[in-house]
Amino acid sequence: MKYALILPDGAADTPLLALGGRTPFEAANTPNLDRLVANGRLGTAATTPAGWSAGSDVCSMSLMGYDPVRYHTGRAPIEAAALGVSGGEQDLACRVNLVTVDDGGRMLDHSAGGISGEDSRQLFYAVERAWREQGLLEGLELHPAAGYRAALIDRSGGLGGACTTVPPHEILGELVGDHLPTGAGAAERLVDLIHASRAVLDDHAVNRDRRARGERLATHAWIWGQGSFASLPSFVDRFGVTGCMLTAVDLLAGLASLVGWDRVSVPGLTGWHDNDYKGQGAAAVEAFDRFDLVCCHIESPDEAGHQADATTKTAAIEAIDRHCVGPMLGRIQREPSWRVLVMPDHYTLCSTRKHDATPVPYAVAGTGIQADASTRLTETQAEAAGPHFGRGHDLMPWFLDRSGGA
């Protein structure tokens, strides 16, 4: 059996005035998804456990078949795994974002305008140098990652304890002073690091150039998502299925590493709508020759939602349908037995620019899947269909069931 898992990150949404009262899924032209749905069925899965926030770390872990309540220790340790950074029981990892805070002290952009490449690298190096010169980096390591992201690793045990941090994408438009790290002495150190980053970034040459180009500035290095290092049981040991991940995002690459999936590197992958969708789809097609399960994760709908850009979010869904769903479906249907699952990890609402914990819609088709009366992958049709998984991590073993009883 061959399996395809296609994840349009954050693609689910609510009806939007900008789209004539439709969601991006409803507004998008998706002939390949429509063909899949016509021969399959829809449902929903609660990828966010009750009482948890709808973070991609939690939701993606859930949809991959791992209960976050049991296995989740924090977002940053997962991303550190993608960088090849490991730690002991006493070590701690934090996530760092380059962000834009406006002159009024409000979080304007969790990604500093999607800063990447040489710009982000230069700024992270400048922040690291300033932290070190000020004596703030003792026992800590800063590891720049993809784009606006980095990992901060604590080898000293000094950042442990009951420290509370807040994801920047959850406080867009809000005063950052109300959401700085809180808790024991470790929180004070994190706050010092955040404040110190502003001083070095304020008049950096990269920001001067970005200002001249009319781009958003990276004003702070925002620290959040801390957690201890942990391990997950391997996917092949649990399900007898080998897997691989195609993604531009360290979080998904880290999850893949932790469960024993290979990462397929594709030049031109980004987290935005400039992503090389065609190259990603072509690489996914080739990966079926080597793996039982091919997971194709595309970040662009989520980032468009965080920017309240319904038009780009819709265009991203259409590009995923054309360049990923179509080729992958065409390839896997040549197998004697196969299944395809298409689903976002969570809602990302253009109306709020934030994640939402509403159970996400999914479409599944293939060997042993009985078709229902659904016609398109939309939030409304999925809610009207089924089955519905109250625990998101139960969807994966159901999807992988080889008994034909699905």
Side-chain angles (χ1 to χ4, degrees):
M1 179 86 80
K2 293 286 186 179
Y3 303 92
L5 178 57
I6 303 172
L7 308 180
D9 197 298
D13 212 320
T14 54
L16 300 165
L17 288 177
L19 299 178
R22 298 171 296 173
T23 71
F25 266 133
E26 291 170 340
N29 178 28
T30 55
N32 296 299
L33 265 175
D34 296 351
R35 177 162 56 95
L36 184 147
V37 172
N39 294 282
R41 63 194 307 167
L42 302 182
T44 65
T47 54
T48 307
W52 290 56
S53 296
S56 291
D57 49 340
V58 171
C59 299
S60 297
M61 180 180 287
S62 180
L63 67 83
M64 288 171 64
Y66 292 79
D67 182 2
V69 176
R70 180 177 180 183
Y71 294 111
H72 187 273
T73 63
R75 178 170 181 141
I78 300 172
E79 297 185 335
L83 302 176
V85 178
S86 58
E89 293 182 0
Q90 303 303 315
D91 296 335
L92 195 76
C94 298
R95 162 76 176 269
V96 185
N97 277 40
L98 291 174
V99 303
T100 305
V101 177
D102 66 19
D103 293 339
R106 297 181 184 276
M107 184 66 70
L108 178 64
D109 193 321
H110 71 289
S111 66
I115 192 168
S116 62
E118 189 60 26
D119 279 2
S120 62
R121 283 191 291 272
Q122 286 192 41
L123 294 181
F124 274 126
Y125 293 148
V127 167
E128 180 182 30
R129 183 168 57 252
W131 283 348
R132 191 174 303 282
E133 290 174 351
Q134 296 174 45
L136 297 174
L137 209 58
E138 184 177 352
L140 306 180
E141 305 166 1
L142 185 67
H143 297 265
Y148 56 86
R149 309 170 178 93
L152 183 67
I153 310 300
D154 174 28
R155 306 289 188 188
S156 69
L159 295 185
C163 182
T164 300
T165 60
V166 180
H169 55 266
E170 291 188 3
I171 56 171
L172 294 170
E174 300 181 25
L175 291 170
V176 298
D178 296 336
H179 300 288
L180 290 167
T182 59
E188 296 179 8
R189 188 176 184 190
L190 295 184
V191 172
D192 288 343
L193 289 165
I194 292 172
H195 287 327
S197 71
R198 178 177 184 176
V200 68
L201 293 172
D202 189 49
D203 195 40
H204 194 281
V206 166
N207 271 333
R208 291 198 299 270
D209 291 343
R210 292 179 68 82
R211 185 182 291 109
R213 297 194 298 264
E215 298 172 347
R216 286 181 173 170
L217 311 185
T219 63
H220 296 73
W222 188 265
I223 305 170
W224 61 287
Q226 76 279 7
S228 57
F229 287 85
S231 61
L232 276 65
S234 79
F235 197 85
V236 70
D237 286 347
R238 292 186 63 203
F239 302 117
V241 172
T242 63
C244 70
M245 174 72 73
L246 295 86
T247 182
V249 178
D250 284 332
L251 172 64
L252 273 295
L255 280 171
S257 175
L258 289 172
V259 303
W261 288 0
D262 284 15
R263 182 179 186 179
V264 177
S265 180
V266 184
L269 293 196
T270 76
W272 304 84
H273 193 41
D274 63 354
N275 180 62
D276 183 1
Y277 298 100
K278 185 175 181 179
Q280 188 167 10
V285 166
E286 292 179 359
F288 283 115
D289 294 335
R290 295 181 287 138
F291 302 97
D292 301 324
L293 184 151
V294 176
C295 181
C296 189
H297 168 264
I298 310 97
E299 177 76 359
S300 51
D302 178 67
E303 294 291 2
H306 285 308
Q307 300 300 327
D309 187 346
T311 300
T312 298
K313 187 171 184 177
T314 303
I317 293 171
E318 292 180 341
I320 293 166
D321 179 77
R322 182 183 314 112
H323 297 299
C324 298
V325 177
M328 292 177 72
L329 183 59
R331 166 62 179 84
I332 202 171
Q333 285 181 317
R334 302 204 304 264
E335 297 290 330
S337 57
W338 57 273
R339 286 187 179 182
V340 176
L341 174 63
V342 182
M343 64 182 295
D345 51 348
H346 51 67
Y347 279 64
T348 302
L349 305 182
C350 286
S351 58
T352 64
R353 301 174 62 196
K354 300 177 183 179
H355 294 178
D356 184 88
T358 301
V360 294
Y362 69 81
V364 61
T367 305
I369 301 294
Q370 301 299 315
D372 61 18
S374 303
T375 57
R376 303 199 68 213
L377 175 55
T378 70
E379 296 81 358
T380 300
Q381 288 199 33
E383 290 170 4
H388 304 285
F389 292 90
R391 303 189 310 174
H393 60 276
D394 288 336
L395 173 59
M396 179 56 68
W398 176 84
F399 171 60
L400 297 175
D401 184 6
R402 302 178 184 185
S403 66

